[in-house]
Amino acid sequence: MSRLFVAMGLVLLVGASLSIGVADLWAADIDAGLVMAVSRVPRTVAAVLAGAGLALAGVVVQLSVQNRLVEPSLTGTPEAAMLGLLGITLFAPGSALLVKMGVAAAAALVGTTGFFVLATRVPQRDPILLPLVGLIYGGILGAATLWLAWATDLVQYLGTWTSGEFSGVLRGRYEVLWLIAGLAGLLWLVADRITLLSLGESHARSLGLDYRATRLLGLVIVSLVVAAVVVTVGTLPFVGLVVPNIVSRLRGDNLRTNLPFIAGLGGALILAADVLGRVVRYPYEIPAGTVFSVFGAAAFLWLLNAPRRPAHG
């Protein structure tokens, strides 16, 4: 997997995303510049940033728990973020988007910390056991969120946060996702420390790593990314699971050199899912989260059965 291949694929997908839509940009009564600036460019950028952020969050979670079969959607993080969003909607419905994202991030951090506490008590000899625990844990948080939404007549809001679609992305409603670009830069700076988390606490400490502080930093990055995505477009499962594993199999496990590929491939795949969702039943749309779930399930089965190539990165 070369940088040129990923870059060319992303450029082609960006071009397709900008050119596909219900509005005919060549029609005489259409302001093409306005449509591009208000809708198509924000939607394209949002898909790339969301995919890149969730892919990066996935690799952080996997290294932190030493398990390649775990991702944020299997740690209760999105469900905790939605619970926080539901709370702020109940008690301060007029809050600014940044405030809602902050509350969602704080709730996501608490929820993810709860999973990490559970992870310390799960035997690591079977790699499938921890994802199953995460699935049950996330299901419990999701059930609590659904009950609260039903009891307060806010189920329609919950549906928005679980849809994982970009049709509602407009200028002025997606800019919070640019936070992901800053978090990606921070992750690149601390990539070597995050890598040491995969060795376990005792080995990492023996190499001079402040294990708890580094793990907390990773948790904060994951929580902020997931909260930003959930607030803006909803949940997008499988991204953080599939993308890091594909890159690792093709390029090895050098996190610092892999980060651009993980981010680029995550953004490209979610953008491809969004474009495909727009054309399958044109002029209607299928949510990108639904499209990617089909691909993600197939890719996950492939990851479970395909032989792993020797690391060379």
Side-chain angles (χ1 to χ4, degrees):
M1 180 186 293
S2 67
R3 289 184 175 88
L4 181 61
F5 176 78
V6 174
M8 287 181 61
L10 192 55
V11 168
L12 291 174
L13 286 168
V14 167
S17 179
L18 295 177
S19 61
I20 296 173
V22 176
D24 182 3
L25 298 182
W26 304 107
D29 59 338
I30 294 292
D31 187 340
L34 182 63
V35 172
M36 294 289 283
V38 172
S39 177
R40 294 194 186 175
V41 170
R43 179 172 186 162
T44 301
V45 173
V48 172
L49 289 174
L54 290 175
L56 294 174
V59 75
V60 172
V61 170
Q62 290 169 10
L63 293 175
S64 298
V65 298
Q66 301 96 51
N67 192 311
R68 288 287 186 178
L69 301 180
V70 179
E71 66 145 349
S73 64
L74 293 175
T75 63
T77 308
E79 291 82 3
M82 286 188 283
L83 189 57
L85 277 175
L86 197 60
I88 191 67
T89 302
L90 283 171
F91 295 105
S95 300
L97 184 61
L98 282 177
V99 174
K100 292 180 178 179
M101 195 208 75
V103 172
L109 180 59
V110 173
T112 310
T113 301
F115 170 80
F116 273 56
V117 172
L118 287 175
T120 61
R121 292 165 170 77
V122 176
Q124 296 188 6
R125 60 180 177 272
D126 185 356
I128 298 295
L129 187 57
L130 186 58
L132 289 176
V133 170
L135 189 64
I136 296 170
Y137 176 68
I140 293 172
L141 291 179
T145 304
L146 179 59
W147 177 84
L148 183 59
W150 175 81
T152 56
D153 199 22
L154 290 175
V155 176
Q156 68 274 19
Y157 285 95
L158 195 61
T160 302
W161 300 328
T162 58
S163 60
E165 57 97 22
F166 295 88
S167 62
V169 174
L170 298 171
R171 184 175 63 189
R173 294 183 56 186
Y174 84 101
E175 285 78 3
V176 69
L177 287 174
W178 281 110
L179 174 66
I180 292 175
L183 293 172
L186 174 61
L187 184 57
W188 185 84
L189 291 175
V190 300
D192 296 332
R193 298 181 185 180
I194 297 295
T195 300
L196 291 179
L197 293 177
S198 64
L199 300 176
E201 184 171 1
S202 59
H203 288 86
R205 287 184 180 276
S206 68
L207 294 173
L209 181 73
D210 188 335
Y211 185 84
R212 292 186 178 180
T214 304
R215 202 177 197 190
L216 177 60
L217 177 61
L219 286 176
V220 170
I221 291 174
V222 170
S223 300
L224 287 172
V225 167
V226 172
V229 174
V230 170
V231 166
T232 308
V233 299
T235 57
L236 294 164
F238 284 116
V239 184
L241 173 65
V242 171
V243 175
N245 277 287
I246 291 176
V247 174
S248 176
R249 285 176 179 269
L250 295 176
R251 292 186 48 84
D253 295 319
N254 188 326
L255 180 60
R256 183 176 294 278
T257 59
N258 283 352
L259 282 178
F261 294 95
I262 294 172
L265 184 60
L269 289 178
I270 288 300
L271 186 56
D274 183 45
V275 171
L276 185 60
R278 282 185 254 174
V279 300
V280 169
R281 294 191 62 197
Y282 184 87
Y284 306 102
E285 294 189 14
I286 299 175
T290 302
V291 175
F292 192 84
S293 292
V294 175
F295 166 78
F300 179 59
L301 293 176
W302 171 75
L303 290 169
L304 288 177
N305 295 283
R308 186 178 178 86
R309 292 176 55 179
H312 58 80

